[in-house]
């Protein structure tokens, strides 16, 4: 058998002969795609990055004034007060007019527009108030010597989605945003980007975990959405995804 860094490779040959046959047998093997919500098939507008609600409103107004039917607005990257504590930065709270993010999201919902949020990457900066509790719970990868490892564009400490305590730490934070009306998640940098070679996860070393990482990340964010809104179809837009993540509302 062929050998990779993670050991022996299992190969599956699907001979078709038609492309439709290949897709049918591939999804039969790895899982059928979850039915997406209807809004996910509409027009999405994203930018790196909207600075605040005023910037988001301006983009939306420019599009609709030109006749574009907007279905989704994506808030990317640097919206948290600290990357990433899942708490809105103060500039997203319009205290002068008494508007909270939940109220703005509700206002967009009345227009038929969903808000999708970036998780800013599976990394947390040490200055986040959630970092110390997370480290104590064992939800961060380490270097095998008792130290966290840094990864990703923003330079945070790498989360370990193989940790059995991950959802205990993450869901109370992401649930607040789902309660506010966030309709879906854009999972960025979840290869994970910049994973150091000395990384140790709860379930193994990078060669064993690397391809599984984004699947576990997707499953976690899918899970919290199903918990908050069990009657709604989740939607996860992920920058990376291995075979099978399509059955967890991943795209």
């Amino acid at each position: 058998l062929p050998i990779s860094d993670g050991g022996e490779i299992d190969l599956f040959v699907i001979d078709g002969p038609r492309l439709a046959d290949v897709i049918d047998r591939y999804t039969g093997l790895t899982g059928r795609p979850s039915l997406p919500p209807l809004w996910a098939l509409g027009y999405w507008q994203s930018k790196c990055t909207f600075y605040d609600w005023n910037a988001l409103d301006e983009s939306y107004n420019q599009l609709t004034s030109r006749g574009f039917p907007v279905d989704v607005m994506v808030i990317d990257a640097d919206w948290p007060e600290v990357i990433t504590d899942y708490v809105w930065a103060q500039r997203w709270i319009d205290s002068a007019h008494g508007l909270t993010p939940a109220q703005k999201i509700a206002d967009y919902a009345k227009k038929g527009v969903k808000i999708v949020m970036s998780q800013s990457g599976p990394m947390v900066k040490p200055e986040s108030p959630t970092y110390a509790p997370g480290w104590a719970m064992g939800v961060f990868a380490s270097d095998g010597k008792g130290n966290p490892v840094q990864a990703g564009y923003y330079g945070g400490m790498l989360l370990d989605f193989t940790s059995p305590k991950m959802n205990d730490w993450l869901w109370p934070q992401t649930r607040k945003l789902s309660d506010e009306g966030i309709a879906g998640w854009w999972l960025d940098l979840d290869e994970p980007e910049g994973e150091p070679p000395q990384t140790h996860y709860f379930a193994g070393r990078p060669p064993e975990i690397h391809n599984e990482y984004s699947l576990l990340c997707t499953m976690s964010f899918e899970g919290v959405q199903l918990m908050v809104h069990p009657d709604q179809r989740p939607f996860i837009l992920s920058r990376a995804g291995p075979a099978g993540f399509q059955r967890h509302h991943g795209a």
Side-chain angles (χ1 to χ4, degrees), residues 9-133:
I9 300 175
D10 293 326
L11 297 178
F12 297 84
V13 178
I14 303 174
D15 61 357
R18 300 176 305 153
L19 179 59
D21 298 323
V22 174
I23 294 173
D24 181 64
R25 293 170 187 171
Y26 170 79
T27 56
L29 178 67
T30 63
R32 305 296 186 189
S34 303
L35 190 66
L38 186 61
W39 57 259
L41 306 178
Y43 180 90
W44 291 50
Q45 179 62 35
S46 181
K47 176 183 177 181
C48 188
T49 178
F50 294 113
Y51 182 75
D52 55 19
W53 289 112
N54 289 333
L56 198 81
D57 293 344
E58 180 182 2
S59 179
Y60 172 78
N61 291 334
Q62 288 284 351
L63 287 164
T64 54
S65 69
R66 289 167 169 78
F68 288 92
V70 180
D71 295 278
V72 181
M73 298 292 291
V74 182
I75 299 176
D76 192 7
D78 65 349
W79 61 271
E81 61 178 5
V82 180
I83 295 176
T84 178
D85 63 355
Y86 301 100
V87 176
W88 294 92
Q90 190 60 39
R91 67 179 183 274
W92 289 90
I93 301 172
D94 188 356
S95 56
H97 298 90
L99 288 177
T100 65
Q103 289 170 315
K104 288 292 293 184
I105 293 168
D107 288 344
Y108 270 100
K110 292 175 183 176
K111 303 172 185 176
V113 179
K114 303 293 185 181
I115 301 295
V116 170
M117 180 76 73
S118 168
Q119 101 291 19
S120 303
M123 303 90 183
V124 179
K125 289 191 175 181
E127 55 265 36
S128 167
T130 63
Y131 171 77

Side-chain angles (χ1 to χ4, degrees), residues 83-84 86 119-124 139-141 149 151-152 154 156-161 166 169 187-193 213-214 217 221:
I83 295 176
T84 178
Y86 301 100
Q119 101 291 19
S120 303
M123 303 90 183
V124 179
V139 302
F140 287 91
V149 292
Y154 300 104
M157 300 306 172
L158 181 60
L159 288 168
D160 179 0
F161 278 89
M166 174 55 71
W169 175 84
L187 305 183
D188 203 4
L189 314 182
D190 62 340
E191 294 78 21
E193 181 181 272
Y213 189 93
S214 61
C217 184
F221 280 85

Side-chain angles (χ1 to χ4, degrees), residues 137-154:
M137 292 176 69
V139 302
F140 287 91
S142 78
D143 62 358
K145 300 178 181 179
N147 305 301
V149 292
Q150 182 172 301
Y153 178 83
Y154 300 104

Side-chain angles (χ1 to χ4, degrees), residues 185-201:
W185 286 94
W186 151 232
L187 305 183
D188 203 4
L189 314 182
D190 62 340
E191 294 78 21
E193 181 181 272
E195 175 191 63
Q198 72 272 23
T199 298
H200 285 66
Y201 295 104

